Amino acid sequence: MTVQVDGRRPKIRVRHLEVFYRRERILGSVSVDIYPGITVILGPSGSGKTTFLRALNRMHDAVVGMFVYGKVFLDNRDIYAPGTNVPEIRRRVGLVFQKPNPFPLSIYDNVAYGPRRHGTPRRHLDEIVRWSLEQAGLWEEVKNRLRAPAHRLSGGQQQRLCIARALAVRPEVLLMDEPTSALDPLAAARVEGLIARLARDLTVVVVTHDIEQARRLDGRALLFQGGRLLASGPTRRLLSSHRDHHATSRHDPARAT
Amino acid sequence: MTRAVVHAAALGLVTVTALAILAIPVALLAYLLVKALPALSWSLLISYPSDGLRGGGILPAIYGTACLVGLTALLSLPPGLATAIYLVEFSPEGPLARLIRAALFTLSGIPSVVFGLFGLGVFVLLLGFGSSLLAASLTLTLLVLPLIIACAEAALASVPSEWREASLALGCTRVQTIRHLVLPQAAPGLVTGTVLALGRAAGETAPILFTGAAFYLTDLPRTVNDQVMALSYHLYVLSTTVAGASEPRKAAVALCLLLLVLALSSVGVVLRRRYLGERR
């Protein structure tokens, strides 16, 4: 039942995923495949985009009152199966937040935080920090002040630092929750370029409310509305066929299906 | 009366009240200082009492209070921190957390003399610790625990949840997140809260009255099973029991106690300042 796209197998297969907050269903049954490369998640506010994203690395576990049902296969292993090592899942499936949230530590210690917790020998840390910062396109700007507090960086730099921090534990999938929405246009453009570059090696899933950004990032898209997956497919095709729904449509065609 | 007059009167009233509040600690300190002046000397701080407590120094009382505060810190910090971590990090809204909060609320409303009697009944008699440094410190621990837990809770809760989420999203366990991110960030607040709570413990008389405070010791306590003299109890004794204790001497003991508590509190304030200064 898995469809190959460009000869690639899906990295994540979501089956009948439902998320409840207390008694209320806030995301309702979603089944979709996510392939290596870029997947953008589109939809109006409150449509379930972020809820879906956070279900992909079990971030809802930490929230009291959140219940997730269904299956999410990461390379054929259900991450919601009993006995799953959740921290291990989160190491493989990283998450970058909407608002840059560096730790109140130095630039270096922010990037080294994950590897240190995972027992990386001290002698490898310099190399990992450098590699991660290079991947995030931040190395040249900070290489002479790695010991400076991270909060002295600009917003855009902080977001790239957070991306470097996420990359430092060598994830296979990177989830990003509107990673550019808190940034000014110039910084947003840099991060956007970075996302496109990362998607060459990783499976990147980006939530955005910016249709133009989705168009530029290309790849595949999932369109959410009213807590349901409305459509999925190649981004350009999806955008041209669902132009009306994405904007401000009130009715919910997904319910009819 | 016009509106302006009412306004001026109200402003005057609140200003005078605020100033009066400020005057209380100043007046207290000045009063004690002036009264104690004739009795103040270095030997007061470093020698043993003599002449049936009427003369000599108060070293055993100062040392005893320090022991009580130190042991209370050792006894109250681990369970206090553990409870706060449970309340903030593991079950902020669970039924058990609600029960614990209710218990703490009750505990914090109990008069200190009741703790003293409880300590006498349980630690001194039932558990057989006798009247000792240990029994007194345990009793003080009960007294300060609600305060320490409340401060520790506030310190832990002040660490933004975005940082916890970021740590979890990197594949760190909850325990790693607490150990390597939350606790280091909350540490200054934890220290501040502990110090303030200990200031409270240092000044209490009632809880140690029946549980470990000694009237007169010619030697310093060597183990936790020994009784101790304490500044607060010593002041009480001088004021009520010892006939012919000089007024300056009483004032000097009171001043010592006050300065000790003030010193502890200001350590807390300085730590808090430094912490906030670093954050900006």
Side-chain angles (χ1 to χ4, degrees):
Chain A
M1 71 187 259
T2 56
V3 190
Q4 295 197 8
V5 173
D6 308 332
R8 291 179 299 185
R9 293 195 153 272
K11 180 72 180 170
I12 298 173
R13 289 182 297 127
V14 180
R15 292 295 176 267
H16 311 296
L17 181 74
E18 289 180 293
V19 181
F20 286 77
Y21 184 65
R22 308 216 188 270
R23 294 260 174 81
E24 189 193 353
R25 188 167 86 162
I26 56 174
L27 185 71
S29 174
V30 177
S31 296
V32 72
D33 292 341
I34 292 171
Y35 293 88
I38 284 205
T39 301
V40 292
I41 300 184
L42 288 159
S45 319
S47 60
K49 308 187 293 279
T50 298
T51 305
F52 175 76
L53 190 80
R54 291 167 67 99
L56 299 182
N57 73 342
R58 294 194 61 165
M59 283 307 283
H60 293 311
D61 286 24
V63 184
V64 179
M66 281 283 201
F67 302 98
V68 180
Y69 301 98
K71 293 180 193 304
V72 175
F73 295 98
L74 175 65
D75 288 339
N76 296 324
R77 224 179 75 205
D78 179 15
I79 66 171
Y80 284 97
T84 299
N85 180 346
V86 178
E88 170 61 15
I89 294 298
R90 298 207 188 109
R91 193 206 54 74
R92 292 173 61 194
V93 184
L95 176 59
V96 173
F97 297 79
Q98 178 172 8
K99 220 178 104 204
N101 59 353
F103 298 134
L105 306 170
S106 71
I107 294 168
Y108 185 98
D109 288 339
N110 260 280
V111 183
Y113 181 90
R116 277 184 177 137
R117 300 295 86 81
H118 298 303
T120 304
R122 185 176 290 223
R123 63 181 185 281
H124 296 324
L125 282 181
D126 286 356
E127 197 186 318
I128 290 173
V129 169
R130 178 178 179 150
W131 178 86
S132 308
L133 287 169
E134 280 173 352
Q135 291 292 304
L138 192 58
W139 174 253
E140 287 302 320
E141 292 157 64
V142 301
K143 64 181 176 187
N144 295 322
R145 46 174 176 146
L146 292 173
R147 298 291 166 188
H151 64 74
R152 292 223 192 109
L153 297 172
S154 71
Q157 288 174 323
Q158 286 188 15
Q159 192 60 303
R160 279 181 283 144
L161 178 67
C162 291
I163 293 171
R165 180 177 67 186
L167 293 173
V169 298
R170 306 302 300 262
E172 300 153 37
V173 179
L174 196 58
L175 311 174
M176 303 177 112
D177 188 4
E178 302 197 22
T180 62
S181 66
L183 307 179
D184 65 75
L186 224 64
R190 281 204 70 163
V191 170
E192 197 182 297
L194 171 62
I195 295 169
R197 215 166 339 113
L198 292 172
R200 278 183 252 159
D201 305 318
L202 297 170
T203 302
V204 179
V205 186
V206 189
V207 168
T208 180
H209 58 233
D210 179 351
I211 302 175
E212 289 314 310
Q213 184 173 67
R215 211 185 296 279
R216 288 190 298 268
L217 287 170
D218 202 12
R220 297 174 60 79
L222 312 181
L223 178 52
F224 281 83
Q225 191 166 55
R228 283 161 174 271
L229 178 64
L230 194 64
S232 67
T235 304
R236 280 163 212 276
R237 194 178 340 140
L238 196 91
L239 284 177
S240 56
S241 60
H242 286 85
R243 194 170 295 147
D244 323 326
H245 295 310
H246 181 255
T248 48
S249 153
R250 289 258 176 116
H251 77 284
D252 190 353
R255 279 188 204 283
T257 58
Chain B
M1 263 202 305
T2 66
R3 190 177 282 187
V5 174
V6 173
H7 179 82
L11 185 67
L13 197 67
V14 293
T15 309
V16 166
T17 312
L19 285 175
I21 296 295
L22 180 67
I24 293 172
V26 174
L28 199 68
L29 256 179
Y31 172 78
L32 283 178
L33 201 62
V34 169
K35 269 194 89 175
L37 216 52
L40 289 181
S41 69
W42 281 116
S43 68
L44 182 77
L45 299 179
I46 56 171
S47 60
Y48 287 87
S50 61
D51 194 17
L53 295 180
R54 291 179 199 89
I58 53 170
L59 174 67
I62 295 173
Y63 182 79
T65 292
C67 286
L68 284 169
V69 168
L71 191 56
T72 302
L74 284 179
L75 291 171
S76 59
L77 201 51
L81 189 55
T83 308
I85 287 176
Y86 177 81
L87 289 177
V88 177
E89 304 292 332
F90 288 99
S91 181
E93 290 167 50
L96 183 58
R98 232 171 290 159
L99 208 63
I100 293 174
R101 287 211 171 85
L104 288 172
F105 185 74
T106 311
L107 214 54
S108 63
I110 294 175
S112 59
V113 66
V114 176
F115 281 109
L117 289 169
F118 179 80
L120 173 68
V122 174
F123 300 130
V124 177
L125 301 174
L126 187 67
L127 297 177
F129 295 149
S131 178
S132 62
L133 174 57
L134 180 63
S137 299
L138 282 168
T139 310
L140 285 174
T141 296
L142 298 184
L143 181 87
V144 298
L145 257 181
L147 203 56
I148 287 198
I149 292 169
C151 290
E153 250 196 286
L156 294 174
S158 75
V159 177
S161 58
E162 295 93 75
W163 294 344
R164 288 186 186 83
E165 282 206 317
S167 175
L168 293 175
L170 289 168
C172 300
T173 63
R174 213 171 249 235
V175 172
Q176 284 177 323
T177 301
I178 293 169
R179 160 81 184 76
H180 295 281
L181 185 73
V182 178
L183 282 183
Q185 292 307 314
L190 293 172
V191 173
T192 309
T194 308
V195 165
L196 290 175
L198 292 177
R200 171 90 200 278
E204 285 289 342
T205 313
I208 61 171
L209 193 59
F210 321 113
T211 55
F215 187 76
Y216 185 7
L217 292 176
T218 52
D219 206 357
L220 299 180
R222 290 176 197 287
T223 74
V224 294
N225 297 317
D226 293 342
Q227 283 195 307
V228 290
M229 289 181 72
L231 284 170
S232 55
Y233 180 60
H234 189 60
L235 180 62
Y236 173 73
V237 163
L238 285 185
S239 315
T240 57
T241 320
V242 178
S246 74
E247 287 302 314
R249 186 172 177 79
K250 290 179 200 166
V253 174
L255 190 66
C256 263
L257 179 58
L258 193 65
L259 289 179
L260 195 89
V261 174
L262 273 180
L264 265 175
S265 304
S266 32
V267 167
V269 171
V270 167
L271 286 172
R272 164 129 242 119
R273 281 269 166 74
R274 179 174 300 175
Y275 165 60
L276 290 175
E278 262 173 26
R279 276 252 179 122
R280 297 293 138 237

